[in-house]
Every structure is written in C-alpha cells, then in structure tokens.
Amino acid sequence: MRSKFTWIMTLLMALTINFSFAQEKVVSGTVSDATGSLPGASVFVKGTQRSAQTDIDGNYSIKVNVGETLEFSFVGYETQTVQVGAQNSYSVTLVEGGTVLTTVVKDVYRSITKEKSAMAVAGITAEAIEDRANASVLQNLQGQIAGLNIGTGSGQPGADSTIILRGIGTINGNVEPLFVIDGVPVDEDGFRSINQNDIASVQVYKDAAATSIYGNRGANGVIVITTKRGGYDEKMEFRYTSQFGYSELQPLNMELMNSKELLSFQKRVGDGFGASLSDAEIDLLSKQNNTYWSDIFFRKGVTQSHNLAITTGSKNTNNFTSLSYFEQDGIFINTNFKRFSVRNNFSGKSEDGKFNYSFNFSGNFSRSNGVDGAGSNAIYFAPFRAALHGLPYLSPYDADGSVTNTGSLVYGDPSSIAVDKAPYVLLNSVHMNTDVEDEIKILSSFAADWNFAKNLTAGFQMGIDFSGFRALEILHPNSILGPFQVTSSEGYAQYGGIHSESTSRDFRFNSVARLNYNNQFGDHTIDATVFVEYNKAHLDGINFAQSGLDPRLVGTGAAFIDGTVVEGDGQPYVPTVGSTKVSEGLFSYFGNFDYDYKGKYGVTATVRRDASFRFIDDNKWGTFWSVGARWNIDQEDFFKNNFKGVDLKIRGSYGTSGNQRISNAQYSSLNLTRSLYGVGSNYDGSISTVPTQIGYTGLRWEQTAQTNIGVDFGVWENKLSGSVDVYRKRTTDLFQTTPVSPVNATAAINTNIGSMENKGVEVTLKYNVFRNEDWTILVNANTSYNKNFIRDLPDSYNGLVFSNGSTSLIEGSAFNTFYVVKYAGVNPANGNPLFYTADGGLTETLDDSDRVDTGKSTYPAWQGGFGTVVKYKGFEFSTQWSYFADLYRNNLDYAELEETSVISDGSNRVASTATAWQNVGDITSVPRVGNAYGAVDYINSTDRYLEDASFLRLRNVLFGYSFSDELLRDLPISGLRLYVQGENLLTFSSYRGWDAEAGFRSTDRGNYPTPKIYTFGAVINF
C-alpha cells in the first residue's frame, strides 16, 4: 500500500515539476549601451510572435517559458541572446556595430533595416538631445550630423533656426529640409512648441534614394522625427525629469572705450562732448560714471523644466503619456519663453497581429516675451545696439540707486530725446512696452495597417499640423516715445501710443493610403508599395493697429480712442485693419520597389508624380524618381574568410526631387502665373486700373538631381565604425526674376532659368577606445565639406546679379558671395581711406566699377563636430563640440564703433578708434576724423569689416551620476540620476562681437547673442 502511494506521489510530483517548467512567467530587465538606457529596443522570444519594446528608461517585461531564448536588438548595435532560466530578471548591455540591425528607416512610406539600406541616412537617439537646456530641439542637432548646418540667428529663447542640408540648393525657393514627425509633414519653423523630451530619434535623409519618395518636398533633404512610445506587456512606469539653472551673456570679443578714454579721445580730436572739457573735468566725470551698458541691459536668466512621462502596455495595447512645463528667461531684460505641452501616443494590435493601429496627439502652448528692433537701424528701437553704443559717462541710475526708467528725460518734449540718450529711451521702452507672441501647436495622427492576405498589407495614415498664433505689441502712450506716435494737423495728437494685434490659424492636413506586397522566394526578397497622398493647407488671419490709447486702460479695447474723434483738420485715431485667407495643396501618387538577394546585393527604386496648384495645368505635374544599389561585401565568403571582424558595405544612388515653394514660404507666391491689376492714378489724378503683376504661365518646378556614393564600415569587431559619402547635387530651372522692358509696366518677371550646384564629402566616425565591466570610453566625430556655386544666370544679367548692398549672385561663385571693393588701408599722406581698383591700383574714391568677387560667402564650406563619452560605474562625463569654417559676415557693430567720419554721434567707440590717422606719415588702418566715408559705406561697398565668422564651440558638456540599485533598494524609486551640464561654454573665433554664431545673415547689427546656459538636472524613475 505504501509503495503504491509513494509511486502515485512521485508521479504527481513529476507532473507538477514538468508543468511548472512549461508554465509561462513574466521576466523583466533593462537594455542599455555604454552611455545609458536604450528606449525603443526590441525584445523577442525567439521562434515565437511574442515581443516587447523597452520604455523610455530601457526597461521591459515579457511573458516567456523557461528554456526559451530572448533576443535583444536595437538600431546600430549587435543583437544579443539570453536563454531563460530560473531567474526573473535579465539585463543586457548592447555593443555598437554588428551585422544584425533593427529598422532605421521607418516612416509613413517604408520600413527597411540599415544593413539592407542603400540610402544615405544619419541619425541620433533621444540621449543626444533630451537632457539639453535649449528651448528648440533643432538647436541640439548642431554639430551632431555631417552635412547638417543649424543656423540660429538669435539668442532669444525659442528662436527659429535655419536648417541647411548639403548646401543651399536654390536662389529664391525653399532652402530648408522637409520635417516629418510621426509620419506627419510639419512646419519647419514650429519647433519652439515641441517638447524635446518626447523625441525618441531623429533621422536625416540626405541622398536621392532617401528623399525622392518625398518628391515635391524632398529637394533639400528630409528630417524624420519619431516620438516615444510604450511597449506591449509592460507594467506602468513613471519617469520624472527636472532641470534648473541660469544663462548668461557670452564675453564681448571687442574692447570698448571707458569714460576717460572716450572723453580724452573726443578732446584730442576736438569733436564731441569731451572737446569742451578740461582734463580735470574729464577725470572727475570718469570717476563718477563709467558705465558698461551691457551690464544694465543683460542679466542672468533662470531656466527650469519639469517633465512627467508615463508608459504602460498590455498584451495588445500600449500607451505613452507625457506632461511638460519649460521656462527660460532670456539674457536680455524682459525677454522670456514659456511652454506647456501634453502628449499621448497609443498603439494597439489584433490578437493575431495582422491589424495594427496607432494614434498620436501632441498639444502645446508657448508664450514668448521679447523686444523688437534686433538688427534694426532705428536707434530708439534697437536695444542690443544701445547695449554696445551707450556712452560710458552717462549714469544708468536714479538718485535712489535703482536702474533708471526715464534717464530724467522730459515726457512729451521731443527736444529732450537725442541720440546720446538712446539707452534711456530703450530702458523706458523695455519697462513700459509689450511684445508678446503666443502659439498653440497641435500635432495629431492616426495610422492603421491590415495584413489582409498572404504577403499583402494595406495601410492608411492621416495627420494634422495646426498652429494658432497671436501677437500683441503695445507702445505705451506714457512711455518716452508714446506721445510721438500719433500726429494731427496741429502737431502731436492728444493721445499717443500704439496697440497692434494679429491672430492667425495655420491648418495643414496630410493623408496617405498604401498597398504593400512583400515576399521571399528562396534567396530573393521583394518589397513593393504603391501610394496615394493628398496634402492641403489653409491659413487665415486678421490684424489691426490702433493709434491713440487712453493710458488708464492700456491693454484693453476700452483704451482705443474713437476713430471719429477730430483733432485739427483730421481724424488721427482711425485704426488700420487687415485680413488674410489663403490655401495651397498637393496631390501625389507614387511607388517604391526594393529587392534583396541573400543579404548581399540590393536595389531600390522610386517613381513619384506630384501635382502643384502653383502652376498652370500644363506644368503642374512633376515626375521625380531615384535608383539606389548596395553591395554588402562583408557577406561575401571571400571577405569573411580573409577579413574577420570587418563590416563593409558600398552603396550608390541617383535621382531627382522637386521644389514648388517659389519664395521660401508655405503660402508665398501663389499667383505668379496670373496677371493681376489694381487701382491707381492716371493723367491729372484720375482713377484707373493698372497692372500690378505680369503673369508668366511658363513657371514650373525647380528640380534637383543628386548623385551619391557611400561606404559604411566597421573594423576590429566594430570598435571603429563610420561612413563616408561623396555627392553632387544640381538644381535646374531655378526660380529667378528676369528683366523685361518697362513698357510691360514692370521691370522683371518671375521665371525658371539657371542652375546651381553643390558637391561635397561627409565623414562620420565612432571609436570605442576602451570598454570593460566598469569603464567605457567612446569618441565620435563628423565633418563635411560642401562647395556651392551658381552655374547659370539669366543671359540679360551677363553672369552677375547685383542689386546694391554687399552680396551678389555671380556665375561660378557661391550663393551670397560678397561683391565689394577691397579696402587698402589709409593714405599716410592725408589720412583718407584707400581702396583697390578692379585692376589692382589705388584710389580714394569708392566706385561700383571697382567691385570684385571676393570668393567669400555667408554659408560655411566646412561644418562638423566631435565629442567624447566617458563612464565609470555610475559616473558619466560627455562633451560635444561643433564648428563652422570658411563663412563670412559683415560686422556693422564694429564698423559703427570705429566710425571716424563723425565723432559727435552720441555713441561710444572701440579702443582701436584712438589709432586714427593724425599726422603726415602715420601708418594706421583707421582713417582720419572727418573722412568722407561712414560705417554703412564701408559695409555696403567694401571688405573693410568683412570678417571670418568661423568658430569652434564647446556646445555641451555634462557630468552625471546614476545611483545603483543597491543604494536605492530601500527607497520608493527604481532609478535616480543627477547631472550638471553647460551649453556654449567656450567659443574660439576671431570674429569681433558677442557671438560668432549668427545664422547665415550677411550683416550683424545689434543682434541678440547666443547665451551660455548652466543647469542641474535630475531623472527619477518610479
């Protein structure tokens, strides 16, 4: 009996043990690399359909059986496998490189692995951008991707950047890449309202094989941004990130005169306030006041941000939600930027995995408090100019020691306002006036695909990009400038001030339907897709300006003085009102074909037809196409046997893309094919109809053709990896104005004529210097060289388009080349400026006939960056540098501060002005006081102040520490990371001013400089 019972118990125990081994359980862990966690990494149960994705902290959870194998993979990293045993936690660290890579090209159109891609595509992940303290995510890309130039011309928080990829490709058309967020084309100027902590990756598409599928918008490249998502079978997790810090002004790379130096100089030359003072009076005044006006107008601005992200997932759904607040004070007083944002990304699938869908929503509100007048020549409206030019012997303080708001200027007395008092006027304006811009930004999309039959999948996506803008500017009637804004027939009106306001709504809709066929025949794989796409955009807005405000009610409509009020012979308070309503659209159909053989050889091809509303029916359709091929040499047997640990792929492409945005704006130049008429005056003042535009029906697409040859490689088991690309990009049928006889009632019409070319090379390198259990040392670098030149201009221009100023279009030279007279110095005999003639002689007379091509442009030829990552246990230290080289800019700030044609202009001077010529035989570069030419003459006509604006900048440095699990074991949190970082800490440049980084403008004059930013941050996981 006992033996029978024992046998039964043994059998039950065995069955129980066998059943427990076959029973499913949930395992979890973290996927990371040498620099930290990897959000979005893929975790598969090998041989099954079960999978999961890591969350924003690299964590995952998945159901698995003991004995099964987990496979971990992420773009750009070697795949790792782990067999599941008794433990419930499996964390892995992926190594960069490898031959098994996950998808790197995945958007609304297609999906392909990097290994099988023939395209020139570069990208960065969330870790490279999410901890940065810039208000716009685009500024964080500078120096991180070869060939991508980020030009930010203002230090105002949230300022727009100009993005140039592989050189400027058009003269008058759109110059920036197409931006796509989660499959939705978006406004390239709307990134101040996007929360950068929501972004998972940024991919930059460069060559024709990558961009031709975008057809009508891909001529300048494409930047695809993917936001974060949750993972399936994932427990709910919270991640809170916060930053706090401050920003400050860059050092001024020029030496301004102090009070004694300026007054003594004025006394010596007999001009200006100091000319009438004795030495004792100069000494006394210099001791009383020695103001550095930058200290008054600029400040240390506070930066703070808070971001909460929530991820969760079940078997068939997952969700990512984030809430964020960001605030940054500008370094200039009274400038500020605030942003509130919310995002929800939801995904789901059917039980069999054949139907997938997703919904993305992002709602953002931003407010920017700024000041007008950056770069302006209106002295009383140019605050940054006043910070440079303010006279040092003027006091910025009132009797009580506070910074003055009036400078003792008499309200309503125009005689008290003089150029030397401009700093007081600007301080008053900053204190009393209003300049606010609000933006509501909504991005939303829905996508679904259905594998309805074997090898066939149908998909659909639609998305919207909505921007609502409101701008409010109030010049207060009680401000120093307020009384002089409204005039009547009897002089200044009783009520002054101006209230101007505008609102607009920009709605853009995109929809794409597709049908995909994918099949494998032995060693052959085919993927073919056909698409239909529709884009529509609408803009409407209204604006008004009210002159004359009741000072007791400023900021409300009740302050508006009735337009029917009569003063003298007129009605000075009549408001001006305007409205706008425009729309544009595109319709496209296209197809893409990819073929692969054994993972060794591949071919990709795209054909796209686009219809633009901007052209007449005969010209509205544009056809764009591309072909690309690759050879994965490392997959060949002869290569594997002889070059172990080496990866090598060669790729090439050729194709075309289009540009139909004629004047570099979404809603610009909508009617150039039509002749337009307006009301004008005729003989003896009679009313008549006059032509305002002569339509040109031959207007058509610009077209860019691009050739690219690239090599991707990795050696020493991918310890060193990188890519090299060589390209040539040629744009034909450029949008340009062509002269016509004035008998046509206009001197020029818009046509397609001429061509432009960019050619260059790009290099990207990564090197794993050292790695073991405790240490990781990585370095990276990228560089690019681009040569831009205009091939053809309209014959009537004879190879040169010169419209006054300092830059011109010249055949054979780069776009925006400086075309000026060369400055030769100062004539030692009389102190007059000397210039070179066109044939190399000397003259004292400025003449346009002596202008020459300098070969210098506002756009850089060289661009790149480099960085390091060092990690030891929980510690991390990283740097990122960026550089521009071979670009030039006119320095009007310095020119005005070295002005010697006049001295009594109410402005300070730089120290070098004291070296101005005085006596026969003096050798100097500064002409005599009272010479014939002023600062603007030199800027517009000569290269005297044309400066090399190349710079090397320490763009970001970060030091952090991540607490170990052991230290956090007894705390209610699962992760804690603390860090300090700095932006723009060091800049090396010969450019004289606050900031060598100033976008791609041709002239600097009182512009908002880029600040240094220091922040402390924390990341807490729950």
Side-chain angles (χ1 to χ4, degrees), residues 974-985:
S974 58
L976 174 62
R977 174 173 170 260
L978 303 177
Y979 63 89
V980 291
Q981 68 162 342
E983 294 276 341
N984 311 316
L985 297 189

Side-chain angles (χ1 to χ4, degrees), residues 66-113:
V66 173
E68 290 184 317
T69 299
L70 292 176
E71 184 177 86
F72 302 88
S73 62
F74 190 74
V75 53
Y77 294 80
E78 294 182 6
T79 295
Q80 289 193 28
T81 58
V82 174
Q83 188 170 26
V84 177
Q87 67 188 75
N88 294 323
S89 178
Y90 298 89
S91 296
V92 298
T93 300
L94 300 184
V95 179
E96 291 189 60
T99 57
V100 181
L101 302 174
T102 55
T103 298
V104 294
V105 178
K106 184 176 178 63
D107 56 31
V108 68
Y109 295 143
R110 55 191 166 182
S111 176
I112 193 170
T113 64

Side-chain angles (χ1 to χ4, degrees), residues 311-330:
T311 57
T312 185
S314 64
K315 179 181 179 182
N316 294 319
T317 61
N318 64 65
N319 191 76
F320 170 87
T321 300
S322 72
L323 301 169
S324 176
Y325 172 74
F326 177 91
E327 181 175 1
Q328 189 168 76
D329 291 334

Side-chain angles (χ1 to χ4, degrees), residues 61-238:
S61 63
I62 192 170
K63 292 180 180 179
V64 65
N65 297 315
V66 173
E68 290 184 317
T69 299
L70 292 176
E71 184 177 86
F72 302 88
S73 62
F74 190 74
V75 53
Y77 294 80
E78 294 182 6
T79 295
Q80 289 193 28
T81 58
V82 174
Q83 188 170 26
V84 177
Q87 67 188 75
N88 294 323
S89 178
Y90 298 89
S91 296
V92 298
T93 300
L94 300 184
V95 179
E96 291 189 60
T99 57
V100 181
L101 302 174
T102 55
T103 298
V104 294
V105 178
K106 184 176 178 63
D107 56 31
V108 68
Y109 295 143
R110 55 191 166 182
S111 176
I112 193 170
T113 64
K114 182 177 181 180
E115 182 191 27
K116 296 184 178 181
S117 171
M119 300 179 289
V121 180
I124 58 176
T125 56
E127 287 73 21
I129 55 178
E130 64 182 359
D131 291 333
R132 305 283 290 272
N134 294 305
S136 172
V137 65
L138 297 184
Q139 296 176 21
N140 298 333
L141 302 181
Q142 188 190 90
Q144 300 211 57
I145 296 176
L148 185 68
N149 294 330
I150 313 294
T152 305
S154 172
Q156 167 79 30
D160 289 331
S161 301
T162 299
I163 316 298
I164 305 294
L165 178 62
R166 290 188 167 182
I168 188 167
T170 180
I171 291 177
N172 294 307
N174 180 42
V175 299
E176 296 190 86
L178 168 69
F179 285 86
V180 179
I181 299 180
D182 291 331
V184 180
V186 299
D187 179 9
E188 65 269 20
D189 294 326
F191 279 86
R192 70 177 185 181
S193 293
I194 304 298
N195 177 16
Q196 61 192 28
N197 287 291
D198 289 345
I199 293 175
S201 67
V202 179
Q203 301 284 336
V204 180
Y205 296 4
K206 301 179 180 181
D207 68 338
T211 63
S212 286
I213 199 168
Y214 294 88
N216 54 63
R217 299 154 298 166
N220 302 302
V222 182
I223 297 179
V224 176
I225 297 174
T226 304
T227 59
K228 295 173 181 176
R229 315 197 69 82
Y232 292 110
D233 293 312
E234 186 176 276
K235 64 180 180 180
M236 181 175 290
E237 293 189 355
F238 297 83

Side-chain angles (χ1 to χ4, degrees), residues 23 58 248 322 359 375 462 565 591 744 814 823 861 897 914 945:
Q23 192 173 30
E248 66 180 14
S322 72
F359 174 77
M462 63 178 180
V565 173
N744 294 293
Y823 183 64
L897 289 166
Y945 295 100

Side-chain angles (χ1 to χ4, degrees), residues 209-286:
T211 63
S212 286
I213 199 168
Y214 294 88
N216 54 63
R217 299 154 298 166
N220 302 302
V222 182
I223 297 179
V224 176
I225 297 174
T226 304
T227 59
K228 295 173 181 176
R229 315 197 69 82
Y232 292 110
D233 293 312
E234 186 176 276
K235 64 180 180 180
M236 181 175 290
E237 293 189 355
F238 297 83
R239 185 182 196 236
Y240 171 73
T241 62
S242 179
Q243 284 192 67
F244 182 83
Y246 70 92
S247 54
E248 66 180 14
L249 182 65
Q250 300 276 353
L252 181 63
N253 189 21
M254 64 173 74
E255 184 181 354
L256 295 174
M257 287 184 174
N258 59 33
S259 294
K260 187 169 184 177
E261 290 170 334
L262 179 60
L263 292 170
S264 298
F265 172 70
Q266 291 174 341
K267 180 178 177 63
R268 175 165 62 83
V269 300
D271 193 5
F273 180 61
S276 61
L277 301 179
S278 66
D279 291 342
E281 289 173 324
I282 290 175
D283 287 340
L284 178 61
L285 184 55
S286 298

Side-chain angles (χ1 to χ4, degrees), residues 623-669:
T623 302
F624 311 103
W625 58 275
S626 70
V627 292
R630 61 175 169 81
W631 179 21
N632 297 74
I633 302 176
D634 52 28
Q635 298 301 306
E636 299 286 0
D637 292 337
F638 76 86
F639 193 90
K640 291 179 180 179
N641 296 333
N642 294 285
F643 300 96
K644 296 185 182 300
V646 178
D647 293 342
L648 183 62
K649 179 178 69 174
I650 298 176
R651 48 185 166 74
S653 66
Y654 179 82
T656 63
S657 300
N659 187 3
Q660 54 94 35
R661 281 175 51 175
I662 297 172
S663 299
N664 196 22
Q666 180 83 10
Y667 299 100
S668 64
S669 304

